[in-house]
Amino acid sequence: MSAVVSTMDQILGQHRFFADFPPDFAELIAGCARNTHYKPGEYLAHESDRADSFFILSKGKVALEVAVPGKSPVVIATLGAQDVVGVSWLVAPYCWLFDARVMEDMRGISIDAKCLRVKCDADHDLGYEMMKRLLPVLTQRLHATRMQILDVYGKS
Amino acid sequence: MPDVRFAPADLLVPTPYRVVERVRELDDVTTLRLEPRGGERTRVNPGQFNMLYAFGIGEAAISVSAAWETGRGLSHTIRDVGMVSHALSHMEEGAEVGLRGPFGSGWPLDRAEGRDIVIVAGGLGLAPLRPAIEAVLARRERYGRVTVLIGFRSPKDILFPRQIRDWRERPDVELHATVDHSAADWRGHVGVVPTLIQRTAFDPENCLAFVCGPEIMMRFSAQALLGAGVSPARIHLSMERNMKCAIGHCGRCQFGPHFVCKDGPVFPLELIAPILSVREI
């Protein structure tokens, strides 16, 4: 078991999101993590699903999209290697806000969010470390969304 | 740079050019390839612009989107947004247009030699960057890693798709293109172009970044480059203001203490950062 945990520690450590993560915390995260593989067309999650997992991508491409009744879904963003898919797991009511569709063969790590939430509640230092890493992801995506809304390439 | 006190007459008087080819790039974007009517060809550095005169209507500053050296002639890519650009966009082959120029600073390609280059283009901002990309690729061995990041509004707004495909196929270029908005049938990337900066590998301490596009896109891209560790002296932006005389006399394009026409349009961020976010400037 420890060999598996050690391997997962190393895999996690190779990811930008977990770069320089304290080793004790990495071990705690690794206990909630597993390797995962999805094929194109499969969904990691659907809007309103319980956000009980999130994903760290090593390879492939995932589209975050919103279903529009009677029309083709609208893609909000595409995410690729080194990106985190899913941040709703940290905020109540823990529901996905988008569909996450695999565009290109995806490999990465799936993290059991229920397991990690319990660990974050029990160890606030771990929770704070996760917050420090997730908040920049959220602000960067908020910033990007604002620029999308500004429609900067439209006719002025 | 022209000496504004002794500007030669040919910088104030349009030279007649002929439209030898008109290419409809997008619904509202057209490229005109021009040849001088009997006169000599003028050397244009990537990033410079010309004043194009639609006779009887008016004059507008238009970036050069292809230089003579590329074999595509002297090309200007024009978006149909106003009276002059509308007239220019609808000129037929054989029509006559007045040309003054070239004006302004270009991209500092000489300074970039021996370094990585990061090119960030948004929408029509690709037009003045295309000659720079082609100049770099023509002397590829002189530069380090070459990264080209391009953003458009949607898949139907992609400018110069054939060239983008050619650049993408080169093993010595890292190219990422993205669109801001898309339906699910688009296979490419969706997201704003500044977000691509963190996905690419370049040496922030030994690179030059060239950015051109809508001003908001350039500000956000500059922030992303600064966040990646690129110093303001290494980030160059091509600014756009309404230009009239193009030689720093009329003041129409004044940008703080600078004139975009003669001091720019390409500025290092360190020079303009204090005024980049100032309103009413």
Side-chain angles (χ1 to χ4, degrees), chain B:
Chain B
M1 292 288 289
D3 183 330
V4 296
R5 291 166 301 173
F6 304 103
D10 61 359
L11 287 182
L12 295 170
V13 178
T15 302
Y17 273 64
R18 193 167 48 90
V19 177
V20 292
E21 187 182 26
R22 185 179 76 156
V23 178
R24 173 64 67 89
E25 309 280 4
L26 304 170
D27 284 348
D28 59 349
V29 177
T30 301
T31 295
L32 298 182
R33 186 159 67 87
L34 305 176
E35 284 283 352
R37 239 187 226 288
E40 286 185 11
R41 294 175 168 184
T42 312
R43 180 177 172 76
V44 182
N45 294 321
Q48 288 191 301
F49 68 93
N50 285 316
M51 298 298 294
L52 296 191
Y53 197 162
F55 292 117
I57 297 171
E59 204 181 34
I62 309 289
S63 300
V64 174
S65 59
W68 305 111
E69 293 84 350
T70 62
R72 283 199 301 280
L74 184 67
S75 296
H76 298 74
T77 300
I78 302 155
R79 189 170 190 193
D80 182 356
V81 287
M83 208 163 57
V84 177
S85 60
H86 180 79
L88 291 169
S89 298
H90 288 80
M91 281 188 164
E92 300 292 338
E93 290 175 9
E96 194 166 87
V97 60
L99 184 149
R100 291 192 297 127
F103 296 108
S105 57
W107 302 105
L109 291 171
D110 292 347
R111 243 190 86 204
E113 288 189 13
R115 306 176 196 273
D116 292 354
I117 295 190
V118 184
I119 290 173
V120 188
L124 195 57
L126 180 58
L129 279 166
R130 182 169 72 168
I133 296 169
E134 290 180 328
V136 167
L137 296 184
R139 298 172 186 82
R140 182 64 188 85
E141 71 286 353
R142 297 189 185 187
Y143 302 93
R145 277 175 287 201
V146 175
T147 304
V148 180
L149 310 174
I150 314 174
F152 298 103
R153 188 185 197 198
S154 72
K156 71 177 176 55
D157 298 308
I158 294 176
L159 186 66
F160 309 142
R162 198 179 308 167
Q163 261 113 30
I164 292 173
R165 190 194 62 211
D166 291 346
W167 297 334
R168 194 198 297 270
E169 286 175 356
R170 289 183 61 129
D172 54 359
V173 175
E174 181 180 356
L175 185 144
H176 300 284
T178 185
V179 298
D180 282 9
H181 309 281
S182 167
D185 56 354
W186 164 247
R187 304 284 308 153
H189 192 83
V190 179
V192 295
V193 68
T195 61
L196 298 178
I197 290 167
Q198 66 171 11
R199 295 168 187 268
T200 56
F202 57 87
D203 181 355
E205 293 179 357
N206 190 31
C207 77
L208 249 61
F210 302 160
V211 186
C212 188
E215 203 160 312
I216 298 170
M217 167 261 162
M218 289 201 290
R219 287 209 321 257
F220 287 3
S221 298
Q223 287 167 10
L225 287 161
L226 291 169
V230 184
S231 73
R234 297 180 184 280
I235 301 170
H236 292 77
L237 313 180
S238 181
M239 301 303 297
E240 188 175 329
R241 286 293 183 274
N242 199 351
M243 291 184 253
K244 287 292 176 190
C245 74
I247 54 172
H249 280 178
C250 74
R252 187 70 181 257
C253 65
Q254 188 159 0
F255 182 51
H258 314 290
F259 291 102
V260 172
C261 68
K262 74 177 185 67
D263 302 324
V266 176
F267 292 95
L269 179 63
E270 67 174 352
L271 200 63
I272 57 170
I275 54 173
L276 199 56
S277 302
V278 177
R279 294 182 189 184
E280 307 293 336
I281 198 163

Side-chain angles (χ1 to χ4, degrees), chain A residues 24-40:
Chain A
D24 291 354
F25 291 162
E27 200 170 312
L28 287 169
I29 304 275
C32 302
R34 64 182 173 84
N35 286 309
T36 191
H37 173 219
Y38 285 81
K39 293 176 186 161

Side-chain angles (χ1 to χ4, degrees), chain A residues 13-73:
Chain A
Q14 290 164 4
H15 196 280
R16 183 174 59 206
F17 183 80
F18 287 112
D20 303 321
F21 211 61
D24 291 354
F25 291 162
E27 200 170 312
L28 287 169
I29 304 275
C32 302
R34 64 182 173 84
N35 286 309
T36 191
H37 173 219
Y38 285 81
K39 293 176 186 161
E42 292 186 314
Y43 283 79
L44 304 185
H46 284 95
E47 183 183 332
S48 302
D49 282 355
R50 288 279 300 172
D52 286 336
S53 59
F54 68 100
F55 303 86
I56 308 285
L57 302 191
S58 304
K59 180 177 172 287
K61 196 188 281 185
V62 173
L64 301 185
E65 54 188 36
V66 176
V68 182
K71 292 184 182 175
S72 199

